Amino acid sequence: MAAGVSQLHASTPGPSVTLSENDLPPLFVVSDRRALSRQSESFYAVRTQLLLLLSATAMAMLAERFDSHIPAALAALLYAFTIAIGLYTTRRRARAQWRAHRDVAELLKSLAWQYMVHGGPFHSRVADADGLFAERLEGRLRELRRVGWEDSRDGVHARGVGQITPFMRAVRAKPFAARRDIYLRDRLLEQFVWYKNRAAESHRASVRWSSVTATLTLLALLASVLRAVGVIGGWDLTGLLSAGAAAGVAWQEVRRHRPLTYAHSLIEQSLETLRVSMSRTVTEAGAAEAVAEAERIVSPQHTDWLVRFGG
């Protein structure tokens, strides 16, 4: 694989510094930022709940050990805070909004790239590429509105063809070789590096959290044995350590480290194969189909499908 990467890098341009997010549809920029905000909010809420539950468990243990009302009251207060955060999170629907905005952002980015490089349904023979872009975009957005996505666009000019930027039209007007190089460099190479880095990050996080939960479980076992033989007396550390291990498992499930490692690694391999093919053997006649396949591979729906088998 390393040899293939070296050969491909030698035959394609390096990373571009000309394409910015402002060259993509305006709604992409808004949706991408909102998705990141809602994602952070969702993860922060879960992390806070887990920490509060652990703290409440510790207070309950201290209350039992010292027969004191103060840690018992603190434990009750922490449990109440956990419930309040859960209710607030449910009302905010941060996770659902994160997924909706992410789907919109990725939809716009994918349609923009297909439009620019004559990919998928926007091949060179299509009579009205702008009209097709508007039709595909608005049709998909109507579906997302039905599941709770809120459209932030103001005015009719921001809809449909209003999402096509001058840069997108300029790229579409270029000859095939130029469009192919731009797509290989600014889309496929960028996505290949992104998935490769994310796979490595997810793997490291999975190993780290698996080690933490295994250590806490082992300590819970040790504490249980020591208490059974009367070494640690009235200290019920087993419950606290077990709660810590459970929190670690829950956090891994929320972040999906292991299945994402699996999914991102497979996508990385698929993109590498496709990049080699597009740079060497794909002709202008077959480029539209190759671009459509690339966009399918990097779609959130494809990632979610792979995640199901990565657990």
Side-chain angles (χ1 to χ4, degrees):
M1 180 173 177
V5 174
S6 299
Q7 293 172 1
L8 180 57
H9 284 178
S11 62
T12 58
S16 172
V17 295
T18 58
L19 179 68
S20 70
E21 64 177 15
N22 293 325
D23 295 318
L24 295 171
L27 185 59
F28 162 78
V29 180
V30 175
S31 299
D32 185 57
R33 291 173 181 172
R34 290 188 176 182
L36 291 173
S37 175
R38 296 297 186 271
Q39 181 185 34
S40 298
E41 180 183 342
S42 176
F43 286 153
Y44 178 78
V46 173
R47 184 169 61 242
T48 302
Q49 283 183 294
L50 292 174
L51 290 173
L52 286 174
L53 286 171
L54 277 175
S55 301
T57 303
M59 290 297 104
M61 181 194 69
L62 291 174
E64 181 181 358
R65 178 67 179 85
F66 296 109
D67 193 21
S68 172
H69 296 296
I70 296 178
L74 289 175
L77 187 61
L78 290 170
Y79 283 128
F81 280 152
T82 304
I83 294 173
I85 290 176
L87 293 174
Y88 175 77
T89 303
T90 301
R91 267 198 320 272
R92 287 278 296 173
R93 300 182 71 246
R95 187 174 184 83
Q97 288 296 318
W98 154 37
R99 296 303 299 270
H101 286 298
R102 176 51 57 205
D103 282 352
V104 171
E106 294 303 326
L107 167 69
L108 280 154
K109 196 171 188 179
S110 180
L111 285 178
W113 273 110
Q114 290 181 76
Y115 171 90
M116 284 190 284
V117 299
H118 298 210
F122 304 98
H123 50 78
S124 302
R125 301 180 304 278
V126 68
D128 182 12
D130 287 20
L132 180 60
F133 180 92
E135 178 186 342
R136 292 293 179 101
L137 174 61
E138 297 303 329
R140 182 70 179 114
L141 291 182
R142 278 194 298 271
E143 295 176 1
L144 289 168
R145 285 192 199 96
R146 285 197 286 267
V147 297
W149 175 71
E150 296 179 0
D151 195 343
S152 61
R153 293 176 296 177
D154 183 20
V156 67
H157 297 295
R159 301 178 183 276
V161 296
Q163 293 296 316
I164 301 176
T165 64
F167 180 88
M168 291 167 57
R169 287 195 171 90
V171 173
R172 184 171 178 82
K174 292 179 181 296
F176 166 69
R179 297 195 310 269
R180 180 198 59 199
D181 286 349
I182 290 172
Y183 189 73
L184 286 171
R185 178 187 60 211
D186 292 287
R187 182 58 166 167
L188 288 192
L189 179 58
E190 185 270 338
Q191 289 291 285
F192 172 80
V193 172
W194 188 89
Y195 278 105
K196 182 177 182 179
N197 291 339
R198 288 301 299 270
E201 291 172 6
S202 296
H203 176 69
R204 288 193 296 269
S206 177
V207 171
R208 181 169 61 251
W209 280 102
S210 295
S211 300
V212 168
T213 54
T215 300
L216 289 172
T217 303
L218 182 61
L219 290 175
L221 172 62
L222 180 61
S224 179
V225 172
L226 292 176
R227 191 179 186 194
V229 299
V231 174
I232 56 176
W235 286 97
D236 185 17
L237 295 175
T238 305
L240 179 60
L241 292 169
S242 298
V249 172
W251 183 246
Q252 286 197 81
E253 288 298 313
V254 170
R255 296 305 304 262
R256 304 188 300 176
H257 291 134
R258 187 177 292 109
L260 281 176
T261 300
Y262 173 82
H264 290 161
S265 295
L266 288 182
I267 293 173
E268 172 199 342
Q269 295 168 19
S270 298
L271 286 175
E272 171 65 4
T273 301
L274 192 56
R275 285 170 59 235
V276 172
S277 174
M278 289 189 69
S279 65
R280 295 176 179 175
T281 61
V282 173
T283 63
E284 184 171 5
E289 184 178 346
V291 169
E293 175 62 12
E295 294 303 317
R296 184 193 67 83
I297 290 173
V298 300
S299 68
Q301 293 77 19
H302 182 59
T303 300
D304 289 341
W305 184 77
L306 291 175
V307 162
R308 298 178 193 174
F309 303 97

